[in-house]
């Protein structure tokens, strides 16, 4: 039996830090409002001309190094992004070219904040069937390009960044299970409308019915966690680390409570990164690995919720 396991991780954040105080000088908000409602204190914003692929490349190179791989070892590239450099080719193709990988399959996954979970689940299935030996899976976003910087209800929430993993074939798991869901009936809760004519990625701005998204996130993630535990015949105490999508500390805390986990078993980056959409889980995972909290053999639950609506989880042994 072939399994998929994470061989190495990497991440990258743009240099420019935007604090809540910076935003309060632009729109009618305050550090107190943002921290108490979301847990966010600052976020990174890409400089002019710095694209999603630029961030992805930095994270990918770090993940390749950590995995002890060279680019030619990679036989599948998947980039999860909502903010691609171009309508086409996919950012995965642009990244492949930057890394000097020629020939293997490369494609993007668009599942908004759940994108990385979708991408990891897809890569795992390629590896399980034997068609892929080493996959590069990246979540990368420049959400700042689709944020309306005059809309205080959304502009305080998002940030830019990238995270990556190299997934390799092995004799033992690895990824234990993945659970992917979507329901397009909720498409209007969280959306970016394309403008006419379609002019590339940054065609419109994020609109969100925040309260409804919040309520849906808490109830949906509650059910998702139950589904993931049941599928693996696990108890809550078998999970060592929760690596959630970093949208809002109150949603994260509700999921941790559902799992009976203390907050020191949760990798939290939302305070420093904001919501980086598809990049948030691989960024948080890399932070936890590099600071030594997540150790080889630990059971880790990743879960995400986002536009679509989409939601999903991956349970893995690191
Ligand atoms: N500063 C100050 N006041 C604000 C701000 C702000 N930045 N934004 C909104 N307000 C005001 C509103 O205008 C409203 O004022 P009113 O009562 O006078 O009308 C008041 O604050 C309360 O607004 P709510 O929207 O009800 O605030 P809520 O407590 O719901 O918090 C938030 C808003 C943080 C957006 C929350 O609803 C949330 O986190 N939702 C989920 C977001 C999420 O998880 N998205 C997931 C995926 S993202 C993706 O897929 C791309």
């Amino acid at each position: 039996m072939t399994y998929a396991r994470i061989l190495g991780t990497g991440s990258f954040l743009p240099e420019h830090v935007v604090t809540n105080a910076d935003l309060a000088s632009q729109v009618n908000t305050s550090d107190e409002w943002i921290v108490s409602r979301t847990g966010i204190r600052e976020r990174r914003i890409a400089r002019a001309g710095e694209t999603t692929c630029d961030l992805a490349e930095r994270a990918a190179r770090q993940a390749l190094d950590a995995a002890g791989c060279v680019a030619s070892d990679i036989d599948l590239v998947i980039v999860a992004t909502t903010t691609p450099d171009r309508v086409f080719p996919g950012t995965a193709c642009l990244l492949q070219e930057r890394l000097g990988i020629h020939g293997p399959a490369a494609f993007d996954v668009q599942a908004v904040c759940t994108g990385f979970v979708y991408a990891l689940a897809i890569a795992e299935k390629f590896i399980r069937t034997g068609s892929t030996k080493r996959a590069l899976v990246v979540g990368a976003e420049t959400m700042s390009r689709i944020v309306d910087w005059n809309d205080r209800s959304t502009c305080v929430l998002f940030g830019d960044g990238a995270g990556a993993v190299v997934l390799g074939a092995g004799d033992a798991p690895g990824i234990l299970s993945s659970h992917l869901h979507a329901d397009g009936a909720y498409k209007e809760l969280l959306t970016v409308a394309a403008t006419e004519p379609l002019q590339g990625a940054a065609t419109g701005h994020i609109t969100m019915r925040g309260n409804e998204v919040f309520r849906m996130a808490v109830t949906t993630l509650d059910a998702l966690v139950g589904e993931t535990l049941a599928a693996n015949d696990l108890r809550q105490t078998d999970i060592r680390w929760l690596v959630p999508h970093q949208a809002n500390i109150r949603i994260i805390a509700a999921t941790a409570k559902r799992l009976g986990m203390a907050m020191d078993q949760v990798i939290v980056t939302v305070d420093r990164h904001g919501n980086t959409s598809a990049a948030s889980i691989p960024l948080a995972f890399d932070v936890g690995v590099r600071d030594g909290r997540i150790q080889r053999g630990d059971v880790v639950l990743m879960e995400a919720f986002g536009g679509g609506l989409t939601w999903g989880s991956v349970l893995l042994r690191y």
Side-chain angles (χ1 to χ4, degrees), residues 27-30 33-34 36-38 40 82 111-114 141 143 146 151-158 190-191 206 208-215 217 245-251 275-278 305-310:
V27 290
N28 183 15
T29 190
S30 66
W33 192 95
I34 301 169
S36 63
R37 301 288 176 125
T38 71
I40 299 167
T82 298
V112 202
C113 299
T114 319
E141 301 279 16
M143 297 302 282
I146 55 169
D151 176 8
R152 69 175 182 175
S153 68
T154 52
C155 77
V156 302
L157 303 175
F158 295 97
L190 180 54
T191 187
I206 297 171
M208 178 166 74
R209 297 189 343 223
N211 239 303
E212 289 167 70
V213 174
F214 187 96
R215 283 199 301 274
H245 171 49
Q246 311 281 325
N248 184 312
I249 193 68
R250 293 186 292 147
I251 298 174
N275 180 349
T276 57
S277 187
F305 182 92
L309 295 175
T310 54

Side-chain angles (χ1 to χ4, degrees), residues 16 32 57 68 76 82 93 99 109 133 155 247 265 290 296:
H16 182 48
E32 193 281 327
E57 182 184 353
L76 173 68
T82 298
C93 293
L99 297 173
V109 167
K133 291 271 177 290
C155 77
Q265 286 180 269
R290 281 176 194 276
R296 285 286 173 198

Side-chain angles (χ1 to χ4, degrees), residues 100-120:
I101 302 171
H102 302 283
F107 58 89
D108 289 5
V109 167
Q110 160 56 301
V112 202
C113 299
T114 319
F116 182 77
V117 167
Y118 266 67
L120 200 57

Side-chain angles (χ1 to χ4, degrees), residues 46-47 49-56 85 98 142 145:
R47 63 180 150 70
E50 193 174 32
T51 69
T52 293
C53 191
D54 294 330
L55 310 186
D85 288 28
R98 298 265 191 103
T142 43
R145 305 268 152 74

